[in-house]
């Protein structure tokens, strides 16, 4: 999914912050990176705090061409869903509920012998409207540690324009690196990676 100019491989157990302004295509990029694991029998779990779980599931399904993949959604909007793979919590501020659901899905994946899973969190920004930074930091520390210990891959979206720079800097301490997304002056999306390469990559077109 990534152009080779950015990165050829990401180590298991890596957590990355996907940072970009509104309408920059962060969610699409995040879902594409999750879907990339499907041909290798990697599962995917999406935590959504912006869009209903059913909508996220439909978008993800269109990217994997009906492959039989372990896929689950944690819907933080309390949305009703007819799909049994969509698990709801009451609000983006229900960090305890999100953690419980994630632990249950990790247990289910283990029972189904799904060894590798890609986790997408879209997005951290709404959570900061419900909980303070210190509480979110503690929650993310546990969440990212679970991903690291299982050798999974974590991708967490955030809108830097919605928060003070200090907030983003504090949260970014929990992550191994960052994927920055922007809309180019001439149109189209560009991305670069910082933290998991020896130096930041150049901005590379995604479209």
């Amino acid at each position: 999914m990534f152009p080779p100019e950015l990165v050829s491989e990401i180590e298991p157990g890596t957590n990355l912050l996907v940072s970009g302004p509104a309408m920059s295509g962060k969610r699409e990029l995040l879902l594409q990176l999750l879907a990339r694991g499907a041909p290798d029998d990697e599962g995917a779990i999406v935590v959504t705090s912006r869009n209903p779980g059913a909508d996220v599931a439909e978008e993800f399904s269109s990217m994997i061409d009906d492959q039989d993949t372990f896929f689950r959604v944690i819907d933080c909007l309390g949305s009703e869903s007819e799909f049994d793979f969509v698990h709801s919590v009451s609000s983006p501020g229900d960090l305890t509920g999100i953690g419980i659901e994630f632990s249950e899905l990790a247990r289910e994946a283990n029972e189904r012998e799904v060894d590798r899973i890609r986790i997408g969190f879209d997005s951290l920004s709404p959570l900061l409207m419900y909980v303070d930074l210190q509480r979110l930091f503690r929650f993310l520390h546990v969440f990212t540690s679970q991903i690291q210990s299982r050798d999974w891959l974590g991708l967490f979206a955030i809108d830097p324009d919605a928060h003070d720079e200090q907030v983003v800097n504090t949260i970014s301490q929990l992550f191994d690196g960052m994927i920055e997304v922007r809309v180019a002056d001439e149109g189209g999306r560009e991305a670069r990676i910082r933290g998991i390469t020896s130096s930041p990559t150049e901005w590379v077109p995604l479209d």
Side-chain angles (χ1 to χ4, degrees):
M1 196 287 107
F2 269 141
E5 299 94 326
L6 280 177
V7 64
S8 58
E9 187 176 355
I10 297 176
E11 291 294 321
T14 297
N15 287 284
L16 296 174
L17 199 59
V18 183
S19 176
M23 309 302 292
S24 62
K26 292 189 302 298
R27 181 167 59 90
E28 181 185 3
L29 174 61
L30 185 147
L31 292 178
Q32 287 172 337
L33 290 173
L34 299 185
R36 190 183 182 192
D40 296 323
D41 296 322
E42 293 187 36
I45 297 173
V46 179
V47 183
T48 174
S49 62
R50 288 193 182 279
N51 301 86
D55 292 353
V56 173
E58 182 178 356
E59 186 173 356
F60 180 81
S61 297
S62 70
M63 297 178 177
I64 61 172
D65 298 325
D66 297 322
Q67 295 178 74
D68 185 15
T69 301
F70 180 89
F71 175 65
R72 301 290 184 270
V73 180
I74 300 175
D75 183 322
C76 302
L77 306 176
S79 309
E80 295 289 334
S81 175
E82 62 188 57
F83 304 114
D84 57 7
F85 55 80
V86 177
H87 300 245
S88 293
V89 299
S90 59
S91 78
D94 186 7
L95 302 186
T96 301
I98 296 171
I100 290 172
E101 291 292 347
F102 180 67
S103 295
E104 284 295 312
L105 294 180
R107 180 185 57 80
E108 181 186 356
N110 183 63
E111 290 176 350
R112 293 174 177 263
E113 299 183 345
V114 182
D115 297 327
R116 298 289 294 278
I117 294 183
R118 300 187 178 199
I119 313 299
F121 205 119
D122 181 41
S123 153
L124 298 179
S125 293
L127 275 64
L128 284 163
M129 298 173 62
Y130 289 81
V131 301
D132 60 46
L133 177 59
Q134 184 178 21
R135 187 176 172 213
L136 180 61
F137 188 92
R138 291 197 303 266
F139 167 77
L140 288 175
H141 177 70
V142 174
F143 204 99
T144 55
S145 295
Q146 289 181 315
I147 293 172
Q148 181 183 26
S149 66
R150 292 184 169 96
D151 282 341
W152 292 353
L153 171 65
L155 301 163
F156 295 70
I158 192 169
D159 179 356
D161 294 344
H163 314 291
D164 292 337
E165 185 178 355
Q166 182 180 356
V167 170
V168 179
N169 289 341
T170 299
I171 289 176
S172 66
Q173 295 173 23
L174 294 164
F175 294 87
D176 301 299
M178 181 182 297
I179 304 170
E180 294 179 306
V181 186
R182 71 180 184 183
V183 178
D185 294 337
E186 61 275 14
R189 297 177 303 152
E190 295 179 328
R192 71 176 180 180
I193 289 182
R194 294 195 289 121
I196 59 171
T197 51
S198 57
S199 61
T201 67
E202 298 294 326
W203 288 98
V204 175
L206 290 175
D207 300 316

